[in-house]
Every structure is written in C-alpha cells, then in structure tokens.
Amino acid sequence: MTKINNSLHLSGASFQAVYQLSCATEQAACLAEEICIEQTIEFPKALVKRQDIKEQIPGRLVSLTTTSETSHEVTIEYPIEVAGNELPQLLNVLMGNTSLKPGIRLQSFALTPEQYENFKGPRFGRKGLRDLLNAPQRPLVCTALKPMGNSPKELADLAYQFALGGIDIIKDDHGLSNQPFCTFEHRVEQCCAAVQRAVKQTGKSCLYFPNITAPVDKIHDRTIFAKQAGAGGCVISPGLIGLDTMRILAHDDTLSLPILSHPALMGSFTVNAYSGIAHGALYGQIGRLAGADATIFPSYGGRFSTSKTECRDLVEGTARKMGQIKKSFPIPAGGLSFSRIPELIRFYGNDVILLIGGDLHRHGPDLVANCREFVRKVLDIRLV
Amino acid sequence: MTKINNSLHLSGASFQAVYQLSCATEQAACLAEEICIEQTIEFPKALVKRQDIKEQIPGRLVSLTTTSETSHEVTIEYPIEVAGNELPQLLNVLMGNTSLKPGIRLQSFALTPEQYENFKGPRFGRKGLRDLLNAPQRPLVCTALKPMGNSPKELADLAYQFALGGIDIIKDDHGLSNQPFCTFEHRVEQCCAAVQRAVKQTGKSCLYFPNITAPVDKIHDRTIFAKQAGAGGCVISPGLIGLDTMRILAHDDTLSLPILSHPALMGSFTVNAYSGIAHGALYGQIGRLAGADATIFPSYGGRFSTSKTECRDLVEGTARKMGQIKKSFPIPAGGLSFSRIPELIRFYGNDVILLIGGDLHRHGPDLVANCREFVRKVLDIRLV
C-alpha cells in the first residue's frame, strides 16, 4: 500500500482521564500504555504506517503515581478530536474497551471548556431545583411511592399524604413502569391530581416525579403526558434506557422537567472497587453530562455496600467544576432511617436531597405526621 | 389509611432468573430472599398492607443449590406482569437494584413464550446472515477498518483489499464515529463504493458494516445514510447508546440492516466473576432480545481476560431456545491470530464469525493475499 501523508490537523488540545490501576508496580506503566492504545487506535503501534497517527492519536501518559504495591493512579490525556463531540464516543474513549479488562477503574476526568460547551448538562441543577421548591438553603426531603402492586388510587392516596406532610419531592418507585395493575397513565394522572390537591391546602411547593423509564420510543410521549398532567419532574434510570437518551430528554425544550437519575443496572460499574467507574465519575460527572439534575445512590450505612469514601467521591463528582455545567444534587437512599438524619446531614451537608422510603411508614401509624417529623428533623439539623 | 382490597388479577404465569451467589452457605437463602424483594416491591414486607401484594408480587425462590462453601445457584421466579412487556423494565426486574449489591451475578433467564413474543429479536440471525453471504455452513470471516486517524480514502483502500481478498464482513473499528479527520459520511460513502467495486471484480458477497454508534437522535439518519450508500449492516455498541435503542433500530422496517453488537463499556458487567451479568445472559440472551444478529466479544486467549468457560457460556446464550427469537452469531475477537484459526474453529464450531484485526496486517506485506489465506485456512479447517 502506498504511504499517504494526510495531515491530521489536530488542534493540540487534549482532555484527561484518571484511572486507578490494580497491578504489580512493574506492570503499571505497561498497563497504562495498553489503555492509551486500546482506547484510541486499538491496533498494534508497530503496524501503524503513518507517523502522525502513531504520534498524535493514541492516549499519552501524563503521570503515574504508585500509592501501594498493587495500586497506581495514572493520568492519561487524549486529543479532543478522538471523542468527536458526542457523548457515546466520549464514553467510549474514557472506558469503552478498557471496561473489558480487570484491574482498571475510571476515577475522574477533566474535559476542555470547549468540550463542556457541547453539553447543556442539567437544565435545573441544584439552584434550579431549589428555586422550584422555594428552598434556597436547607436539605430537601424526598420519598417514594411504593410498593409495586398498589393501584393508582392507592399510590395517589399516599402521594396526597406525603404532600400534605410537607415532602418536597415525591417520586415513583423506579420499578413502577406500565404494569397492568397500575398503568402509567392512570398512575400519573391520579398522583398529579392528588399532589395538586394537597398543595392547594398547604400552600407549599411539592413536586411529583413519575418514573418515565420506558421503551425509548415511548419516552417522549410519556414525558409529554406527565408534563400535561402536572408532573414536577421525572425519574429516569439511564442504566436501563441509556445515558444518551437521558441527555436528549434533558435538552428537549418542549419537555423541560427536572430529572432524577436512578442507578438501576448501573451498580455493576461501581460494585467492585478494582474495575468499572468510580461513583463520582459515573453518578456525578457522567450523570451531569447526560443532564441529571439529581442523582439517587445507595448511601453508606444502608442496605447496600457503598463506603463513606465512595459517597464522598460521588458528592465531589456532583459539584466538581466542569465548565458551565451545573451542579447536580446527591440523593443518598437505600434503606435510610429517621434516626440517621442528623448524621446524614452532618456528612452530606445542606446540599442534599434525603430520600427515606420504608422507614417513613415504619415510624408510626400517621403518615402525614411522619412526614412532618421528617421535615422538622431536617429543619432542626440543617447546618447554618 | 383505609385498607383497600383491589385484586391484582395476575395471570399466575411467571418467568425465571438464575443467579450465582457468592456468600457463606448460611447467608444464601437470606440473600435470595433479598433479591425477591429488591427486584419487585423494594419495600419491607412486614409493612405491606395488602395480603395479595405480599403474596403475589415479590419474586419467589424456586431452588437453591450449593456448589461450594461460598457459591450457590438460586432460581427465582417473577410474575410476568411485573416486567410489563418492556425491555427496560425486564432488565430492571432481572438485575436493576441487585446490580448494586456485591456477590450476585445474573447467570441466565427463561421467559414465557408469550413474553418472547413481545420481542422481534434479531431480524436476520445466523441463517439470515448466512443467506446474505451465500455461506450456508462454514465459519464466516470478518475484519475491521482501523486504525483511527486514517482518512476515509485510506480506510476505503483497506476495505477494497479486504473485499478483494474474500472477507465476508468488513466492519468499522468501533472507535470510528464522526471525527474531524474522518467524518461519518465521507467514510461510509467511500468504503461502500470501494467494497462494491471489489464485489464486481470477485463476484463474491461482502458486507460492509459502518459504525452507527452515535448520539441517539442521530442514529436513525446515519443508518438511513449508510443504507442508501450501500452498507450491508451496522456496528452498534449498546453499552454506549443503550440496549433499547439497539432494539428499536433492529425492529425498524425502513432500516432493515443486520446488526453487529460491540461490547464497548459493557465489560464492567462481566469482568468480575462474582457480580454483574454472565456472558451468555448479557451478550447472548439480552443481546438477542435487543436485536443483535451477531455479538463481538473478547475471546479466551486474546488480549483480554475472558475464560474458556465464559466463552462457552456466551455461545450457549446466542443459541439457547428463546421462543421464536432467532439465534445470533458469536464473534470472538480481541487480539486473535492466524495461527489460532484451527483451534478457534474446533472450540467454536462452524457457527462462528472469526474476527481478526491486527494480525491480518502483521501476517505479510500483501493484504489481499493475507485475506485469501485467512479465508483458505477457515475453509480447510471448518468442521464437516
């Protein structure tokens, strides 16, 4: 084959990704070099004919820090052009094929300001959600409509009591989709109406977030239906419908509803400390690029296995400077109890949405009173 | 709250999922019960007011087999109604929240015939792809256009040589998206034309599969563009755009192109043996529900870490009886070499697409001759 000397005309700008490598010290540099190749040319370097491709396209190792005998942090930079201004291809460069190799975890990343401008990010973000709820500073309170099996009327009764009790955000359980015993339309209509009725009584804002996670070709219609019925936002599980589909929903001006992102099916990225994607990068940074205004995650101390360090990392990812991209709200959840509210607020601070589900029912026979106590406890304990 | 006695009117039909649990023997039954709850009502059972919900909605443990002190296989059945005839919700019931817990791996699943009928599955499947290539029995041969950085003209030159050499399927490297040095339209136009030119010379079928993985709102247009340019199929990375988006593409009669599924970003589901989703369930069964005609995966013995057992499980998942859903082709890849062709065909059988990338270039200076040798080796060794 004749050697052709096309110039790549790259800008020279690059973005960076930080990976945690679990391997012996003598293997770390080699593993880092494998990432540089795997995520770009995916081809034996020696066989690349064009010198400019060999020199300019692969990732480049910026730094390698050994933190223990088997743990190393590497920073790799990639030319911005390889990510092509598209979220799927950005994810591909950050972790596509490398996800198939053990011992490599994407820890965080930093794009250029120009790259961030390709993404609108959360439409509301922390401040926008606070504005909708007239709650400029305090922690927000949230609960879920469940269990699956309840009729639309029963869920609407629950929603009414929650709203009357002063809950800020009432979300569908993420498992409520469009089941025959509780269809999407009936549920959303009745729950919206119930919350509106309560809001008229209390005079206090309350947002109902139905679960819109659905076949991708039905999401737009369901979101429009929810908006017209008076929903205040929507629950999306990007692990079930794809991060880029959430991004499109977030950026659609005709929909314009805040999005709570739910981690269903995404646990496999985070559940092993030595592979996948760190909590801050996945739920924080990537979630924000994909338009999540708030991100639900299993908190430390609940019925899942997240550590305090992972929760801290997640919160950092929701707030880390990313160009013009807004901050998102962390929503610790997963078996939290009333008794832990002071501790949770001390740990997470005021910029948090506390989601308590089951324990709100366990606390006493009067659900409205339980909600009021939830709200009061949060107001008492918020940090000043 | 007044007790309301709505009847659930469930059909009584259920589907089954098999999970591998990694825990002490005395914890296995308890962990299985946690899955039954977590994947359905996600609510403390004691607090569920309606007896019919408590009895009928949660998953039910069908069997528990202890295979070692720390390894147990459980089969759980779920009422078909909880999955609501939608792929995202089916995935949610199979593994949604449970993905967040360590020590649980989805091994396989079996739906009812009626549930399978909700899915069209692969449009072509093994037989359809063989028909397109006039290759009723032998293993198929495939290679990839790379490296990233090459111009459309250079990639088209490669495609021409591959097609002239008798390759059945020429696919874009999955990292070729829409980069400034090689835009989607230019690449696809030139590669399609090059393959058509070669086919006229050889008289032998050859299909070019451009990479269509793109922002979800651009996928339809790019697929139409590719089809009109004469593409023979498309490469989709469902980990980057979502499984349900691939399903929609597969089922769209106006597109009607075979789909090669690429595992980018899906490795985190399979890379740890004690969590996530087994190869057969993910790349085989779920891939087929989402319409993949063929599924690329890193084979044992390549540059990734897949074991022979995992590869065997994957192949079983591509062929397992699933109602009317067609079988898909396994495409072992990831650093395979010429010298391994006999061994690979003995292991995978004739119903395989062998994908050799880098080694096709390494084998000798004449790429057309290398392709011819690849094809000849496969014809010599195919099982009769």
Side-chain angles (χ1 to χ4, degrees), chain B residues 71-92:
Chain B
S71 181
H72 316 275
E73 188 177 278
V74 296
T75 301
I76 289 174
E77 61 175 15
Y78 302 100
I80 58 167
E81 286 83 359
V82 304
N85 290 345
E86 300 179 344
L87 182 59
Q89 175 61 5
L90 174 65
L91 296 174
N92 187 39

Side-chain angles (χ1 to χ4, degrees), chain B residues 59-270:
Chain B
R60 289 176 293 269
L61 182 61
V62 175
S63 68
L64 190 164
T65 310
T66 291
T67 48
S68 82
E69 259 181 45
T70 56
S71 181
H72 316 275
E73 188 177 278
V74 296
T75 301
I76 289 174
E77 61 175 15
Y78 302 100
I80 58 167
E81 286 83 359
V82 304
N85 290 345
E86 300 179 344
L87 182 59
Q89 175 61 5
L90 174 65
L91 296 174
N92 187 39
V93 177
L94 289 171
M95 198 59 188
N97 269 12
T98 287
S99 72
L100 297 154
K101 292 191 174 185
I104 304 171
R105 187 168 177 93
L106 174 64
Q107 195 60 41
S108 65
F109 57 89
L111 308 184
T112 66
E114 293 69 29
Q115 283 182 298
Y116 285 124
E117 277 163 23
N118 292 317
F119 298 96
K120 294 190 186 162
R123 179 179 288 267
F124 297 87
R126 289 188 187 174
K127 184 168 180 316
L129 256 180
R130 287 191 172 286
D131 287 348
L132 290 174
L133 288 162
N134 302 315
Q137 281 193 306
R138 63 174 173 81
L140 303 177
V141 298
C142 176
T143 190
L145 298 175
K146 38 169 115 169
M148 181 193 287
N150 269 340
S151 68
K153 169 147 189 356
E154 288 167 311
L155 295 174
D157 283 349
L158 284 175
Y160 177 72
Q161 293 174 78
F162 293 152
L164 215 55
I167 298 292
D168 296 305
I169 294 175
I170 300 166
K171 65 173 274 290
D172 276 352
D173 186 29
H174 80 286
L176 306 180
S177 58
N178 187 36
Q179 288 101 344
F181 43 77
C182 185
T183 63
F184 175 80
E185 278 80 4
H186 286 129
R187 179 176 83 247
V188 172
E189 260 175 357
Q190 296 190 37
C191 291
C192 283
V195 169
Q196 285 155 11
R197 199 154 41 90
V199 164
K200 268 193 196 152
Q201 286 179 252
T202 63
K204 182 191 167 303
S205 301
C206 171
L207 303 175
Y208 164 54
F209 282 57
N211 178 34
I212 311 278
T213 309
V216 169
D217 45 355
K218 292 183 181 160
I219 287 177
H220 188 268
D221 287 353
R222 287 202 193 164
T223 313
I224 292 283
F225 182 91
K227 194 178 165 78
Q228 289 175 345
C234 55
V235 177
I236 293 287
S237 299
L240 302 176
I241 63 162
L243 283 154
D244 204 61
T245 294
M246 183 165 82
R247 180 190 63 79
I248 289 171
L249 195 62
H251 295 182
D252 187 333
D253 291 333
T254 63
L255 303 175
S256 181
L257 286 175
I259 292 174
L260 297 199
S261 169
H262 188 282
L265 206 65
M266 306 243 286
S268 301
F269 287 105
T270 56

Side-chain angles (χ1 to χ4, degrees), chain A residues 58-349:
Chain A
R60 289 176 293 268
L61 182 61
V62 175
S63 68
L64 190 164
T65 310
T66 291
T67 48
S68 83
E69 259 180 44
T70 56
S71 182
H72 316 275
E73 189 177 278
V74 296
T75 301
I76 290 174
E77 62 177 13
Y78 301 100
I80 58 168
E81 286 83 359
V82 304
N85 291 345
E86 299 180 344
L87 182 60
Q89 175 61 5
L90 174 65
L91 297 173
N92 187 38
V93 178
L94 289 171
M95 198 59 187
N97 267 13
T98 287
S99 73
L100 295 153
K101 291 191 174 184
I104 304 171
R105 188 168 174 94
L106 174 64
Q107 196 60 41
S108 66
F109 57 89
L111 308 185
T112 66
E114 293 70 28
Q115 282 182 298
Y116 284 124
E117 277 164 23
N118 292 317
F119 298 97
K120 294 189 186 164
R123 179 179 288 269
F124 297 86
R126 289 188 188 174
K127 182 167 183 314
L129 256 181
R130 287 191 172 287
D131 287 349
L132 290 175
L133 287 161
N134 302 315
Q137 281 193 308
R138 63 173 173 83
L140 303 177
V141 298
C142 175
T143 191
L145 297 175
K146 39 169 118 171
M148 182 192 289
N150 269 340
S151 67
K153 169 147 188 359
E154 288 167 310
L155 295 174
D157 283 349
L158 284 175
Y160 177 72
Q161 294 173 78
F162 292 152
L164 215 55
I167 298 292
D168 295 305
I169 293 175
I170 300 166
K171 64 173 274 289
D172 277 353
D173 185 30
H174 80 287
L176 305 180
S177 59
N178 187 36
Q179 288 101 344
F181 43 79
C182 186
T183 63
F184 175 80
E185 277 81 4
H186 286 127
R187 179 176 83 246
V188 172
E189 261 175 357
Q190 296 190 38
C191 291
C192 283
V195 169
Q196 285 155 12
R197 200 153 41 90
V199 164
K200 268 193 195 152
Q201 285 179 252
T202 62
K204 182 190 167 304
S205 302
C206 172
L207 303 175
Y208 164 54
F209 282 57
N211 178 34
I212 312 278
T213 309
V216 169
D217 45 354
K218 292 183 181 158
I219 287 177
H220 188 268
D221 287 354
R222 288 203 193 162
T223 313
I224 291 283
F225 182 91
K227 194 178 166 78
Q228 289 175 347
C234 55
V235 177
I236 294 288
S237 299
L240 303 176
I241 62 162
L243 283 153
D244 203 62
T245 294
M246 183 166 82
R247 180 190 63 79
I248 290 170
L249 195 62
H251 295 183
D252 187 333
D253 291 333
T254 62
L255 301 174
S256 182
L257 286 174
I259 292 175
L260 296 198
S261 169
H262 188 282
L265 207 63
M266 305 242 287
S268 301
F269 288 106
T270 56
V271 79
N272 288 283
Y274 306 118
S275 62
I277 305 181
H279 293 71
L282 181 65
Y283 298 118
Q285 294 193 277
I286 294 174
R288 286 160 71 198
L289 290 183
D293 295 288
T295 186
I296 298 169
F297 65 98
S299 179
Y300 77 93
R303 69 178 186 276
F304 296 91
S305 65
T306 329
S307 71
K308 278 192 175 181
T309 306
E310 290 168 332
C311 292
R312 223 172 264 126
D313 174 55
L314 188 148
V315 172
E316 277 173 29
T318 64
R320 178 180 296 226
K321 175 73 182 159
M322 288 171 60
Q324 87 297 355
I325 307 280
K326 296 189 179 96
K327 295 176 184 178
S328 65
F329 258 116
I331 314 184
L336 303 186
S337 62
F338 263 52
S339 60
R340 294 187 56 210
I341 293 174
E343 169 216 339
L344 291 167
I345 293 180
R346 275 195 304 273
F347 183 85
Y348 289 107

